[in-house]
Amino acid sequence: MTCNLRIIGCLLATLWFSGTALAQQTLTEEQLQQAQQAGQSERVDLSQYIQSGGNSTGRNKPINIPTRSGPMPAGEEGLPPPYGANLFEGGYESERSDGLNSSYLVAPGDKISVQMWGAVNQAQVLTVDNQGNIFIPDIGPVKVKDVPANRVNSVVTQSIKSIYTNNVSVYVNLLTATPVSVFVAGPVVRPGQYAGLASDSVLFYLKRAGGIDPHRGSYRSIQVMRQGKRVLQYDLYNFLKEGQLPAFSFKDEDVILVGEQGAMVTVEGAARYPFRFELTDNSRSGESLMQYARPLAKTSHVAVTGSRPEGPISVYLPIKEFDEFGMSDGDIVLFNDDIRPQVISVQISGSYLGPSFYTVEKDARLLDLLNHVEINPEQANYGAIYIKRKSVAEQQKELINESLNRLERSIFTAPASSDGEARIRAQEAQLVSQFVARARQIEPLGKVIVSENGKVANIRLEQGDEIVIPAQTDLIQVSGEVLMPQAIVYNPNATIDDYIAWAGGFSERADDDRIAVVHANGLTSFMESGGGHWYHEKQGKTLVAGDQILVLPKVDTKFMQAIKDVTQIIYQVAIAANVAVR
C-alpha cells in the first residue's frame, strides 16, 4: 500500500495490520509476554503530530519561547513584575515523555489494544467511536468514554468476562491518546494553534504559547471558548494562592482566550510579595490586596499614591484603615513600618553576674544600665569598660575600604618610564593585591572608648550595643610580628623590650621603631623607640596588666609610591580590629 495520506493515517493502518496478523493463532508463553507488552511496543504518541502535515508538536523537546513579549509600555520602566509572571518559566510542558497519564479520560478516536487467550484467541487494536464505545466481536459495544486510563483494563475485562466466563484471559491497554488542536489567542507571547491532549491543563497550552504577556495580558481573566460560547473561566490567582485549577477536557478547535490586563496596583515596601497585582471589579479593596501582597507583621501604615478623575492623590493611613480603601489603576501602595520602638536591647559581655541581655528605654544611658548590672569587684575591671557598636564598626569598615581603594588606584595607575620598571610595578601590584584581599576580610570591632583612669562616660546607648566589662588579669599579651606570640605575666619592673624578648624577639618583618599597645579599655596607643628607650605618645602612659603589645609589620621600602598608604591602612586595621596585617 502507498501512504499518500497524512502520517496519522499511516500509523493507524500499521497498527491495524499488526493487530489482525496476531488473530486466530495459538499463543505460546513467549507470545503471551509479547502480548502483555503490546501497549509499550506499539504505542505511538499521536500528539507528536499536528493535524496539518504531520509536523511534530515537540512535546518531548523544550520549546524555544521568546523571552520578550514586546516593547514595554511607557511608564512601567523600573516597576516590579506582575504577580505570577514566573508561572511560565518552568519546563513542565515537556515533562511527560509519552503524553499519557493514569488520570487521562478516554475520548473518541483513542486506540485500545485488546488481547484474549485461552478458550478464545484474539489480538486487535480497536478505535473508540463517536459514541464513546469500542466494538469487540462476539462481545458487542463496550462503553469506555471518560474512563480513566488506569481503569480501562478492568472495565473492558469485566465486559468480556460477562460473556466468556471460563478459561479466557484478557489484557487491555490504552495505546494512544487522540490529540486535540487548541487555539490560544489574546495577549500571549505567541498566539496560534497548538496540539496537545484533551486532559492537558490550560497552563500547558499557555506555556506552549510562550506564556501570558506580562505587560498586556490578564492573569485573572482567561476563558475557554467552544463554538463561540464561554464554557469555563480561569483566575490564575486562585491557582497561585490556593492551588485551585479546575479540571477540563479540551476538544478540537477550542479557544483559550486571555483577556486584556485589568487595573494594576504596584506594591512596595514591607511586603512579602512586592509585585504588581491585577484588580478585579470585585476586589479593589485594600483587604483583598493584602491577601496576596502579605505585608510584614511590623507594617503599621500604608502610603497610597495615584490618580483619580478629580486629580492626583497621596494618602497615608494606618494599616487598619486600609482594609476598606478603594484602589484604582496605577496606584502605588507602600507598606511602611512607621512605629518607632520605644525600647532597645543591649548585651553585656566579659566579667559580670546575672543576665546578659537587657531591654531598656530608648534614651537610656550607660551608667543607668550599669547600676543594675552585678559584678564581682575582685574579678571585673569595671574601670576599663568599653562598648562594641555596630554603627561604629560599619564606619570603620567603610574607612578601611576607602583607603584600600585609594591604594589600589595609586598602585595600578603608577607610571613606568621603562620596561624594567614596568615589570617591577607589576610585581608590586600583585603583592599589593594580596595585601588588599587580606585587609578586606578584616572585620572591625566597632569599639567605643568610654572609660579612662577609672572614669566611665555616661553616653547614650544604641540598639544592639555590646557593653564589655573586661576581667581582671595579670597577663600581658604579646602578638603581631614576634617569633613566639604569647601571654606573659605582668611585671611592673619589665620594659617593652623585656616582653618582646620573652616572646622571642622581633620577626624579620617587624616595625621595631613603633609598637601599638591595646589597653584594657579598648584604647590603642603607640610607643616609639628613641635613645634605647620607648616613649609613649602621651606622657605618663605605662604598661599595666591587661594590655596587649601589638608589633606591626614594616612596609618594604621598595613600595616607594605606596608606602604611606600601606602604613596608614596597617594602623587603621590595628586600631579597628586589634590585628596586625602583613
Side-chain angles (χ1 to χ4, degrees), residues 142-156:
V142 178
K143 189 172 185 61
V144 293
K145 181 181 179 182
D146 294 332
V147 175
N150 58 358
R151 294 191 61 247
V152 171
N153 183 60
S154 61
V155 170
V156 176

Side-chain angles (χ1 to χ4, degrees), residues 127-143:
T127 302
V128 181
D129 59 25
N130 291 332
Q131 300 179 31
N133 301 321
I134 57 173
F135 187 86
I136 304 175
D138 300 328
I139 303 297
V142 178
K143 189 172 185 61

Side-chain angles (χ1 to χ4, degrees), residues 35-183:
Q36 293 175 339
Q37 298 174 355
Q40 183 67 26
S41 61
E42 297 180 355
R43 179 175 299 168
V44 179
D45 186 3
L46 297 185
S47 69
Q48 294 288 330
Y49 300 93
I50 216 163
Q51 291 183 355
S52 58
N55 296 320
S56 173
T57 63
R59 171 182 289 277
N60 301 325
K61 300 178 181 179
I63 302 172
N64 293 324
I65 298 175
T67 56
R68 296 185 179 180
S69 56
M72 182 179 296
E76 290 192 8
E77 298 84 356
L79 293 179
Y83 177 67
N86 59 345
L87 182 59
F88 302 102
E89 293 181 1
Y92 48 81
E93 87 288 350
S94 59
E95 291 298 323
R96 288 205 312 273
S97 59
D98 59 4
L100 296 175
N101 61 72
S102 60
S103 60
Y104 172 76
L105 302 181
V106 176
D110 289 351
K111 305 299 176 183
I112 297 178
S113 170
V114 180
Q115 315 285 337
M116 293 187 292
W117 65 94
V120 177
N121 293 323
Q122 292 186 16
Q124 51 191 324
V125 176
L126 305 175
T127 302
V128 181
D129 59 25
N130 291 332
Q131 300 179 31
N133 301 321
I134 57 173
F135 187 86
I136 304 175
D138 300 328
I139 303 297
V142 178
K143 189 172 185 61
V144 293
K145 181 181 179 182
D146 294 332
V147 175
N150 58 358
R151 294 191 61 247
V152 171
N153 183 60
S154 61
V155 170
V156 176
T157 299
Q158 183 178 2
S159 298
I160 295 175
K161 292 286 188 180
S162 65
I163 304 297
Y164 299 113
T165 57
N166 296 316
N167 198 26
V168 174
S169 298
V170 181
Y171 180 78
V172 182
N173 184 38
L174 176 64
L175 292 181
T176 63
T178 304
V180 295
S181 180
V182 175
F183 295 91

Side-chain angles (χ1 to χ4, degrees), residues 452-486:
E452 189 173 11
N453 298 327
K455 297 182 179 180
V456 180
N458 193 22
I459 69 169
R460 181 179 286 107
L461 297 174
E462 291 185 4
Q463 170 65 30
D465 277 353
E466 180 182 350
I467 302 171
V468 181
I469 305 176
Q472 293 284 5
T473 180
D474 297 324
L475 303 177
I476 295 288
Q477 297 282 346
V478 184
S479 60
E481 294 296 336
V482 292
L483 295 180
M484 296 181 297
Q486 58 185 303

Side-chain angles (χ1 to χ4, degrees), residues 45 58 70 120 129 167 188 216 232 251 256-257 301 347 370-371 429 500 557 567:
D45 186 3
V120 177
D129 59 25
N167 198 26
V188 293
R216 302 164 186 84
L232 190 65
K251 294 184 177 180
I256 299 174
L257 178 61
H301 289 75
Q347 180 182 357
L370 292 180
N371 291 332
I500 293 176
T557 55
T567 303

Side-chain angles (χ1 to χ4, degrees), residues 268-270 298-303 316 334-338 340:
E268 299 176 349
K298 66 179 182 178
T299 302
S300 61
H301 289 75
V302 182
Y316 194 70
L334 173 66
F335 292 101
N336 191 29
D337 173 19
D338 208 14
R340 298 293 179 263

